[in-house]
Amino acid sequence: MFIERRRTAATAALLLIAGCAVILFIYESRTASLTRPLAFLLSALGAFWLVNIWRKQADLHHNLVDARLIVESMPGLGWATDAQGNFVYINPSVVDYVGKSTDEFNAIGRTGLEAVHPDDADRVTEAWLTSMRTGTPFESVHRIRRADGDYSWFHAYGRPHRNQRGEIQGWYGTTIDVDEKQKAQQRLADSERQLQILIDTMPVMIWCAAPTGEPIYQNPKLLEYLGASFEEIRDNNFGVVHSDDMEGFQSVWADCVKQRTLLSIICRLRFNDGTYRWNRVTAAPLLGENGEIIQWYGTNVDIEELHQTQEELRSNAERLRLMLDTLPAFVWCASPDGQPTYFNEPLMRYSGVTLEELRGANGSGFAPMISSLVHPADAPVLRDRFEQSFRSGEPIALKYRHRLADGGYHLVDCRARVLRDSQSRLFQWYGVIVDVEDETQAQAQLQKAQHQLELATRAASLSELSASIAHEISQPLVAVLTNSLATERWLEATPPNFERARNSARKAAEAANDASEVISRIKALFRQSGAAKSPGNLNGVIEEACILLRERIAASKCDLRTDLQRDLPDAVFDKGLMLQVLVNLIQNAMDAMATMNGAARLLEIRSKREDGNIVVHVRDSGIGLNDTEKIFEPFYTTKHNGMGIGLSVCRSIVRAHEGTLWAAPSEPSGTIFSFSLPMAGGEPDVQ
């Protein structure tokens, strides 16, 4: 519009000047001939001036056309307003984009704000009014509606045009499409916001530090954990580190900063309740193209529970090691193929070798150990058994003679089992070796003692059998006499009855054989019998009897309980005979409870001092006895396979020691057998 006005004014001025020149030329030609040259000159000058003006006007018009092409070809939306803000020009891009002309914008009276997004209109209006009021450049980023109704982001610029007096004549501006840039910035802002939210909310303590190590950021999780503000940490970065760990932490951190290497350290940090907890602190530097540190990024992980677990595992491992080293057994471990991996300290001391020596120079499995530590006579069997188990995974259980550190050999019991993994593959062998030399010798001595006990039992029975010897021998002797007389009569008969005589003689011989067997048994009872009486403690005899019968007690499923007086005085007795009494009473108690299916089987043995005597009670929880005195008679028994002389012999033994043996019912069930012996140097208690 400005260009069209200027073009019209120039044309009018040119026509006015040309007309004046023509009029002057005509006037002069009429008045005087002297003035014609002057008129011609003026006309020529006017024509030249007119051509020059026209040429300038053409050049200006051409320049205006070029300027308009430039403005209309610009990628942005060009516009111009007057001093009051009314649009005086918009380039075709605005019309194409918005779908409205200059007149349509001015007709509404809002200088194009109806095309601005409603959420941005107030902000744009305020910025435009401020620029018009102050004369400062206008700038705004807002959304503009396209002709199809969609909105895009634009960056609008506007500057005022002033005259020579500094008055604003109008505004010139452009609006550039920044939709992609704005959306990219929005996406970037959203990403940064999401990242910040992630950093602030994730259950990990995150921090950043400057290239020199000074803290510049801690996420809320870390600040909450430490119970401190960022300023407090910034002012005293190492104040949250335990005093015992501070020097080491500072040294490691300084080295990492200097050498630009990763930081990884475990230390104690102050928790928000004032206590200290173990943390793993890690950090990595972000390096620039020149290798310089741009920033440090680090994390703190609370490992207090893990540290406690590790400490507990270490403590358990130490306790396990101590336990394995103090066990009265020798423990070893081996790999699935039989390569030794562990021998406890007692085993190495016992054998006088080290683990490396047991493994062999080339790590050749158990072969060196078998060659070095196993008796040559047992080595082949042991080697074959171990190799078979290592192949099949079968448990190992065998005894062999093991060489000691002093060169001797002891019998040991070796047992081992294999641990399998989740796929049932062989994982590790665990074995134990127990020295059973003393036990073997003790077993031999026990068998010898049991044999001697049996001999003592036979000898002790003689005192009671003497009363029945006459009865036992008299019957076969009477039969011998009777059959001998019968044989004589049958031979003296007329005629002699040889058949009957022969039968009578045979019966006499059989009776004589019976008598001979009785005498032989009596002689056997006397062999290796008898021992001197001496003072002793009956508690020791009771304990020995329990040891002798422990296997039978366990097999009978009896609950053995002993209540032995600690300061029990001594008594004078024959240990073998008193051991026979106790063994007999204990066996009778177990036999009395043998038929009690499902019921409790209580076997109780007590000893005490009572009225100058030592009293021993053997109590069972069986069905009890009907007659507590008849059971002591010879050949009376309540057992279907008993001889009926055991209790009679026991009473005779006790009486021979000036003591008493009796029986009484027990409540709520069972029987109590008791005997008393006078204390050494005391008066007997006769019942």
Coordinates of all heavy atoms in Angstrom, one line a residue, residues 61 77 118 158 164 221 296 299 320 333 355 398 406 412 475 487 496 588 601 619 639 641 656 663:
H61 N 10.4 1.4 -8.9 CA 9.4 0.5 -9.1 C 10.0 -0.9 -9.2 O 9.5 -1.9 -8.6 CB 8.5 0.8 -10.3 CG 7.5 -0.3 -10.6 ND1 6.4 -0.4 -9.8 CD2 7.4 -1.2 -11.6 CE1 5.7 -1.4 -10.3 NE2 6.3 -1.9 -11.4
L77 N 6.3 -16.0 7.7 CA 5.1 -15.2 7.4 C 5.4 -13.8 7.6 O 5.6 -13.3 8.8 CB 4.0 -15.7 8.3 CG 3.7 -17.2 8.3 CD1 2.5 -17.5 9.3 CD2 3.3 -17.7 7.0
P118 N -6.0 -20.3 21.8 CA -6.6 -19.6 23.0 C -5.7 -19.6 24.2 O -5.7 -18.7 25.0 CB -7.9 -20.4 23.2 CG -8.2 -21.0 21.9 CD -6.9 -21.3 21.2
G158 N 9.1 -8.7 15.7 CA 8.6 -7.5 15.2 C 9.5 -6.3 15.6 O 9.8 -6.3 16.8
Q164 N 12.3 10.6 11.2 CA 13.4 11.3 11.7 C 13.3 11.9 13.1 O 14.2 12.1 13.8 CB 13.8 12.5 10.7 CG 14.2 12.0 9.3 CD 14.4 13.1 8.4 OE1 14.2 14.3 8.7 NE2 15.0 12.8 7.2
K221 N 16.5 -39.6 47.4 CA 16.7 -40.8 48.1 C 18.0 -40.8 48.9 O 18.0 -41.2 50.1 CB 16.8 -42.0 47.1 CG 16.9 -43.3 47.7 CD 15.7 -43.8 48.5 CE 15.8 -45.2 49.0 NZ 14.6 -45.6 49.7
W296 N 31.4 -36.3 37.4 CA 31.4 -37.7 38.0 C 29.9 -38.1 38.3 O 29.1 -37.3 38.7 CB 32.1 -37.7 39.3 CG 33.6 -37.6 39.2 CD1 34.4 -36.5 39.1 CD2 34.5 -38.7 39.1 NE1 35.7 -36.8 39.0 CE2 35.8 -38.2 39.0 CE3 34.3 -40.1 39.1 CZ2 36.9 -39.0 38.9 CZ3 35.5 -40.9 39.0 CH2 36.7 -40.3 38.9
T299 N 26.8 -43.8 42.5 CA 25.6 -44.4 43.2 C 26.1 -45.0 44.6 O 27.3 -45.4 44.7 CB 25.0 -45.6 42.4 OG1 26.0 -46.6 42.2 CG2 24.4 -45.1 41.1
L320 N 32.7 -73.4 61.8 CA 32.7 -74.8 61.2 C 34.2 -75.3 61.2 O 34.4 -76.5 61.4 CB 32.1 -74.7 59.8 CG 32.1 -76.0 59.0 CD1 31.3 -77.0 59.7 CD2 31.6 -75.7 57.6
C333 N 37.3 -84.0 52.3 CA 36.4 -83.7 51.1 C 37.2 -84.0 49.9 O 38.4 -84.0 49.8 CB 36.0 -82.2 51.1 SG 35.1 -81.7 52.6
L355 N 48.1 -81.5 53.3 CA 47.2 -81.7 52.3 C 47.9 -81.9 50.9 O 47.5 -82.7 50.1 CB 46.2 -80.6 52.2 CG 45.1 -80.6 51.1 CD1 44.3 -81.8 51.2 CD2 44.3 -79.3 51.1
L398 N 33.7 -98.6 55.0 CA 34.6 -99.7 55.2 C 35.6 -99.4 56.3 O 35.8 -98.2 56.7 CB 35.4 -100.0 53.9 CG 36.0 -98.9 53.1 CD1 37.4 -98.5 53.7 CD2 36.2 -99.3 51.6
D406 N 53.5 -91.7 63.8 CA 54.7 -92.4 64.4 C 55.0 -93.7 63.6 O 55.9 -94.4 64.0 CB 54.4 -92.7 65.9 CG 53.2 -93.6 66.1 OD1 52.6 -94.0 65.1 OD2 52.9 -93.8 67.3
V412 N 40.6 -98.0 61.5 CA 39.7 -96.8 61.4 C 38.5 -97.2 60.6 O 38.5 -98.2 59.8 CB 40.4 -95.6 60.7 CG1 41.6 -95.2 61.5 CG2 40.8 -96.0 59.3
Q475 N 18.0 -139.7 91.7 CA 17.1 -140.3 90.8 C 17.8 -141.3 89.8 O 17.4 -142.4 89.7 CB 16.3 -139.2 90.1 CG 15.3 -138.5 90.9 CD 14.5 -137.5 90.1 OE1 14.8 -137.2 89.0 NE2 13.5 -136.9 90.8
T487 N 17.7 -156.8 86.6 CA 18.5 -157.6 85.7 C 19.0 -158.9 86.3 O 19.0 -160.0 85.7 CB 19.8 -156.8 85.2 OG1 19.3 -155.6 84.6 CG2 20.6 -157.6 84.3
P496 N 16.2 -168.2 82.4 CA 16.5 -166.8 82.4 C 15.8 -166.0 81.3 O 15.8 -166.5 80.2 CB 18.0 -166.8 82.3 CG 18.5 -168.2 82.6 CD 17.4 -169.1 82.2
N588 N 15.9 -109.9 84.1 CA 14.6 -110.3 84.6 C 13.6 -109.1 84.4 O 12.5 -109.3 84.0 CB 14.6 -110.8 86.0 CG 15.2 -112.2 86.2 OD1 15.3 -112.9 85.2 ND2 15.5 -112.5 87.4
R601 N 8.1 -98.7 78.7 CA 8.9 -99.7 79.3 C 10.0 -98.9 80.1 O 11.0 -98.5 79.6 CB 9.6 -100.6 78.3 CG 8.5 -101.4 77.5 CD 9.2 -102.3 76.5 NE 8.2 -103.0 75.7 CZ 8.6 -103.9 74.8 NH1 9.8 -104.2 74.5 NH2 7.6 -104.5 74.1
R619 N 13.8 -101.5 89.3 CA 12.4 -101.4 89.2 C 12.0 -101.6 87.7 O 12.7 -101.0 86.9 CB 11.9 -100.1 89.7 CG 10.4 -99.8 89.5 CD 10.0 -98.5 90.2 NE 8.6 -98.2 89.9 CZ 8.2 -97.4 88.8 NH1 9.1 -97.0 88.0 NH2 6.9 -97.2 88.6
K639 N 8.8 -118.2 83.5 CA 9.1 -118.1 82.1 C 8.9 -119.5 81.5 O 9.2 -120.5 82.1 CB 10.6 -117.7 81.9 CG 10.9 -116.3 82.6 CD 12.4 -116.0 82.4 CE 12.8 -114.8 83.2 NZ 14.2 -114.5 83.1
N641 N 10.7 -120.9 79.2 CA 11.9 -121.5 79.0 C 12.9 -121.3 80.0 O 14.1 -121.5 79.9 CB 12.5 -121.1 77.6 CG 12.7 -119.6 77.6 OD1 12.3 -118.9 78.5 ND2 13.4 -119.1 76.6
A656 N 25.5 -114.8 101.0 CA 26.9 -115.0 101.3 C 27.7 -113.8 101.6 O 28.8 -113.8 102.1 CB 27.5 -115.8 100.1
A663 N 11.8 -108.8 97.0 CA 11.0 -108.2 95.9 C 9.7 -107.7 96.5 O 9.2 -108.1 97.5 CB 10.7 -109.3 94.9

